[in-house]
Amino acid sequence: MSKITTLAIAFSFASLQIHAQIITVQNGTSLTIQSGASFYANGLTLTPSADFTITNVTLTRNNTITNPSYNTSINRAYKFSATTPAFSGTVRIDYQDAELNGLSEPTLQVNIHNGVSWAAYASATNDVTNNYVVSTAISSVALNELTLASSLGTLPLVWLSFTAQK
C-alpha cells in the first residue's frame, strides 16, 4: 500500500545567516520521513527507524542554542518551532572546523533538547576528517533543539550542604 504525503516546504540555504530557515511544514500539511529513509537539511540528517511525521513546524539553523545548557556546544544548532512527536532512529550533524567553539572533535556527541531538558546521546561515528557525528540509535525522543557538545562537558552540581575544617 502506498502512502501519500502532502508537503508544503520552503527552503532557504543562506547558511551564513544567524537564523537561517531551512524548512517549513505549513499548518494543515505534514512531512513524513519513512522508516529507513534519510532526510537531509543543511547539515542535519534524520534517519528514522519508524515513520516520523511532523506538522505545522519550522526548522531553523542557528549559530547558538536557544535553550540554556550547562555544556558548551558547537556554533551550530537546529531548532524546531514546536516540539516534534517522538523520534526513533539516528541523527547526524555535519559541522565545520570553525564552528568547534574550542571543543575536541573526538568527544562530540549529539545533544537533544526535548522541550524540557537536554540529553546527550552516544556517538556511533565521529568522523573528524569529514566533520560529522552520527548518534547511536535513539528511541522515542521528542525533538525541540539539536546540537553537538562535548562528552567531557561540565555536569550541573547542586550542593545540599558541606562541612569544612581547618
Side-chain angles (χ1 to χ4, degrees):
M1 178 188 238
S2 174
K3 187 174 191 177
I4 297 175
T5 304
T6 303
L7 299 176
I9 302 174
F11 290 98
S12 174
F13 294 103
S15 62
L16 297 178
Q17 293 179 356
I18 292 175
H19 298 286
Q21 180 178 320
I22 298 172
I23 185 172
T24 297
V25 181
Q26 296 177 349
N27 194 18
T29 64
S30 64
L31 169 65
T32 296
I33 309 167
Q34 294 184 335
S35 176
S38 289
F39 173 78
Y40 174 83
N42 204 355
L44 173 66
T45 305
L46 301 176
T47 306
S49 56
D51 288 0
F52 178 61
T53 302
I54 56 175
T55 59
N56 194 25
V57 70
T58 297
L59 175 63
T60 57
R61 182 177 137 191
N62 305 311
N63 291 339
T64 58
I65 59 173
T66 58
N67 291 295
S69 174
Y70 293 104
N71 291 333
T72 301
S73 64
I74 66 167
N75 294 330
R76 179 185 292 228
Y78 298 91
K79 176 83 168 103
F80 288 93
S81 59
T83 302
T84 71
F87 172 84
S88 294
T90 61
V91 174
R92 172 180 163 156
I93 297 178
D94 295 40
Y95 60 90
Q96 297 175 1
D97 288 333
E99 296 173 315
L100 286 171
N101 201 18
L103 297 172
S104 171
E105 290 176 272
T107 67
L108 293 177
Q109 292 181 319
V110 171
N111 280 238
I112 298 174
H113 193 276
N114 64 7
V116 177
S117 62
W118 285 98
Y121 295 89
S123 299
T125 305
N126 280 59
D127 189 323
V128 300
T129 302
N130 296 306
N131 293 2
Y132 68 86
V133 174
V134 179
S135 71
T136 55
I138 294 169
S139 182
S140 298
V141 176
L143 307 179
N144 180 273
E145 190 168 17
L146 302 94
T147 192
L148 296 175
S150 176
S151 59
L152 303 176
T154 58
L155 296 174
L157 295 176
V158 177
W159 294 93
L160 298 176
S161 66
F162 63 92
T163 304
Q165 292 181 326
K166 183 177 178 181

